[in-house]
Amino acid sequence: AYKDTWAGGTDSYLDMLYPRLQLMKRLLAENGSIYVHIGPNIAHYVRAIMDEVFSTERFQSQIVWQRVTAHSDRQGFGTNYDLILHYSRGDRPLWNPQYQPLDEKYVKTHYTQMDATGRRYQLGDASAAGPGPARWFFGQLLEPPPGTHWRWSQEEIDRLCAQGRIVMTRGGRPRYKRYLDEIPGKVVQSIWADIPPVNSQALEDTRFDTQKPKALLERIIKASSNPGDLVADFFCGSGTTLVVAEELGRRWIGCELGKVGVQVTRSRLVKAGARPFLIENIGNYQREMIYLTGGRIWEMQHLILKLYGATPRDKLSGLGVRRAEDGVEELVYVGYPDRPVTAKKVEELALAAEKMDGAGYRRLVVLGWDYEYNYHEALEARLRAHTGRLKVQVASRDVPPDIYDYLKKAKSAEDIEALADKVQFFERPYLRVGKPQVKALSDGRQEVSIAIDRYVLMDIPISRTTKQGQASYETLLELAKDNFAVLIDYWAVDWDYDGFTFRSQWQAFRGNGKKARTVPTEAKEVLEAKPKRTLAVRVVDIFGNDAAATVEIGG
């Protein structure tokens, strides 16, 4: 599910991290803290960067988190820990001490006394370092031991004596009763050996190697924030930070590049009963990557055409020509990376393809970064209007989201050609929803139901180069033939889509690992009656593909 976007080694990773840490510092509250979880092999580099960005004076601690008890598969001492670097923005960060349960043996050896009510206690010192005056205890004026002072004011001593919290020893020295049930525990230090990693049997397991245990994030969030505060995780992965922040009554912001990470985070938040939240695509990653590397849109379109095996026709149209394996000359179009491909655009291209370059083309291949809602249905409707006159076959394919992983490895035109065999452009999934059913209720409301009639993966992205891969491919193909729902990871319905923002008001999840189950294909909801409404459906399959459709009721 996760890929190392910064695959250029340590230099590439640190180049990525440095400006982001600078931005995070600017975003932090004056009393805020930042925690960076890192492996020990690179932690010293990251700490040097954080010393520069936050200053050594703002270094709070280096936490050693023991992830596993032992490693026996290597020469030398096993590395069984990660590091968590803790820095603050200002000189007075918010801090809530965290505690661990007291050790049972410690309790038995230190809390040996018991009062008449059965409460365990120990007798603690009533003095502290630093000189101070004598105080009255039970009518006696007592000097503190040399170099010390009594811990409390005279008024507090009188109150504690009246409560029976101070007792006198046979030697005539005051001692303080510390009750076991009043001790929150042992203050957590910088070595954490009490939080195991997420294992395959854990209920919170999402099957991501990088998933952090909730207990780890709970300790961090409780230590450096209060309820109502804002917690941010800019590499949120499977969303553990956001789920824990929600459970602890904090507000939160999460950022994630991977589609699968966003999907799992959304699923976990919904299952945790999170308050309404918004998923936004801030900017366009494809476009930003092009600009950040000094490229231009048409140059990227040319690269995509070459990776597909097509020859660009000209500089700016996004069109190319390719001879397919079956011998057919294809006209290939690459969409813009910052906007969805529309059915109207493809209709125009199909009409032009029949006469283009003299003889025309029998097949139009569309390579899109994204597609509009109802793309397949809208395109079918447009093409039906030309039945009998339009001979061009249309194939719509997705530009793979990991395309930049390939492009970053290419240093020349020859490298691009070599990558063409590795990059796969899978055909766009097909989604069809049924006609909504509306039932009037006696209270004036409506019961509305909608179902997924069909979901088809034109290409299943499973490698068949090994026997195991071929078996997996055939098994999934057989399952999907009888029940297409096995392909769906998540689907949601917006019962009153406004045409701009999809609001997930009903959702079904497949789940992960042992909790996986086939999703239902019908959704039902009781709604306030309206003469007209638009329903929107979004589907994400088990390979991260997404599809959407809208349908109107009334009007």
Side-chain angles (χ1 to χ4, degrees), residues 362-555:
R362 291 168 48 198
R363 183 181 299 151
L364 170 66
V365 177
V366 180
L367 306 178
W369 304 85
D370 193 12
Y371 291 82
E372 68 172 338
Y373 272 93
N374 281 354
Y375 170 76
H376 274 299
E377 291 186 25
L379 180 59
E380 286 178 355
R382 286 181 173 274
L383 297 182
R384 277 198 301 268
H386 304 284
T387 300
R389 292 179 288 123
L390 188 61
K391 306 296 184 184
V392 176
Q393 174 193 357
V394 178
S396 305
R397 298 182 176 274
D398 285 321
V399 176
D402 58 356
I403 195 75
Y404 292 102
D405 291 346
Y406 293 104
L407 294 180
K408 279 182 288 189
K409 300 172 185 176
K411 306 299 182 185
S412 65
E414 290 75 18
D415 292 339
I416 294 290
E417 292 176 5
L419 287 171
D421 293 334
K422 300 179 181 179
V423 180
Q424 292 180 289
F425 296 82
F426 293 114
E427 195 163 347
R428 185 90 181 141
Y430 178 82
L431 168 67
R432 188 178 71 202
V433 298
K435 182 180 178 181
Q437 301 299 309
V438 180
K439 177 183 177 183
L441 302 178
S442 58
D443 60 3
R445 295 186 296 170
Q446 297 174 327
E447 182 184 81
V448 180
S449 62
I450 189 169
I452 300 175
D453 278 357
R454 196 176 182 200
Y455 185 79
V456 181
L457 271 181
M458 308 300 183
D459 296 304
I460 297 180
I462 295 178
S463 172
R464 287 174 280 171
T465 57
T466 64
K467 288 185 177 179
Q468 183 178 1
Q470 180 66 28
S472 298
Y473 178 87
E474 292 174 352
T475 300
L476 185 57
L477 206 62
E478 188 65 27
L479 288 171
K481 183 180 69 174
D482 296 329
N483 181 12
F484 64 80
V486 301
L487 299 171
I488 298 175
D489 183 56
Y490 157 90
W491 74 286
V493 181
D494 182 344
W495 299 104
D496 205 0
Y497 181 56
D498 62 8
F500 298 98
T501 302
F502 180 89
R503 293 173 174 83
S504 178
Q505 298 169 331
W506 178 97
Q507 53 278 131
F509 297 94
R510 175 177 176 271
N512 298 288
K514 296 180 179 179
K515 296 171 284 185
R517 58 184 176 80
T518 303
V519 298
T521 56
E522 182 179 7
K524 187 179 295 184
E525 194 70 75
V526 175
L527 308 167
E528 294 299 325
K530 287 181 67 174
K532 181 180 179 180
R533 69 171 73 239
T534 300
L535 275 57
V537 172
R538 297 199 67 160
V539 175
V540 180
D541 67 33
I542 57 176
F543 299 106
N545 302 304
D546 57 75
T550 59
V551 60
E552 290 190 352
I553 299 176

Side-chain angles (χ1 to χ4, degrees), residues 24-250:
M24 290 177 208
K25 179 185 177 183
R26 294 200 295 273
L27 294 173
L28 263 180
E30 191 60 34
N31 65 343
S33 290
I34 182 171
Y35 293 80
V36 177
H37 174 220
I38 202 77
N41 59 320
I42 200 172
H44 48 297
Y45 297 117
V46 176
R47 182 166 175 178
I49 290 176
M50 295 192 73
D51 281 344
E52 179 179 337
V53 173
F54 289 88
S55 84
T56 54
E57 288 76 18
R58 300 293 178 261
F59 170 75
Q60 299 297 324
S61 57
Q62 178 170 280
I63 299 159
V64 178
W65 174 39
Q66 181 180 312
R67 294 184 295 106
V68 292
T69 54
H71 276 302
S72 58
D73 56 351
R74 62 177 300 239
Q75 291 287 337
F77 299 109
T79 303
N80 64 345
Y81 69 94
D82 280 350
L83 295 174
I84 301 173
L85 304 176
H86 174 202
Y87 284 73
S88 65
R89 167 71 184 270
D91 57 0
R92 300 185 65 183
L94 187 156
W95 182 249
N96 302 312
Q98 298 299 296
Y99 301 91
Q100 295 171 281
L102 294 173
D103 180 78
E104 190 174 330
K105 183 179 179 181
Y106 176 85
V107 170
K108 288 181 178 179
T109 57
H110 286 73
Y111 289 85
T112 57
Q113 303 188 60
M114 193 176 296
D115 68 9
T117 64
R119 297 176 71 192
R120 282 186 175 273
Y121 69 89
Q122 66 171 201
L123 293 177
D125 203 340
S127 61
R135 302 288 190 195
W136 291 92
F137 290 85
F138 301 104
Q140 300 180 64
L141 184 64
L142 299 178
E143 292 285 345
T148 69
H149 66 279
W150 300 119
R151 290 180 179 273
W152 311 282
S153 66
Q154 187 62 60
E155 291 79 4
E156 182 66 9
I157 290 173
D158 294 342
R159 188 181 68 82
L160 292 173
C161 287
Q163 292 177 345
R165 297 297 295 260
I166 292 180
V167 298
M168 302 298 290
T169 66
R170 291 179 180 178
R173 305 306 296 173
R175 301 282 283 175
Y176 175 67
K177 279 186 179 180
R178 288 193 175 91
Y179 284 101
L180 176 62
D181 57 18
E182 294 178 347
I183 305 299
K186 180 173 62 175
V187 177
V188 173
Q189 304 298 306
S190 59
I191 296 180
W192 298 358
D194 60 329
I195 300 177
V198 178
N199 62 56
S200 60
Q201 304 303 311
L203 291 176
E204 63 183 280
D205 180 34
T206 62
R207 295 205 169 181
F208 287 154
D209 291 339
T210 57
Q211 184 184 353
K212 311 297 184 296
K214 291 175 66 176
L216 185 75
L217 273 303
E218 182 175 335
R219 179 172 290 173
I220 289 171
I221 291 172
K222 282 183 174 179
S224 292
S225 70
N226 291 324
D229 287 345
L230 181 60
V231 174
D233 188 342
F234 299 104
F235 300 86
C236 71
S238 61
T240 304
T241 299
L242 311 189
V243 171
V244 174
E246 177 73 27
E247 292 176 349
L248 295 177
R250 274 67 167 174

Side-chain angles (χ1 to χ4, degrees), residues 327-340:
V328 174
E329 284 280 337
E330 297 177 337
L331 181 66
V332 184
Y333 170 72
V334 178
Y336 290 96
D338 57 353
R339 68 194 70 168

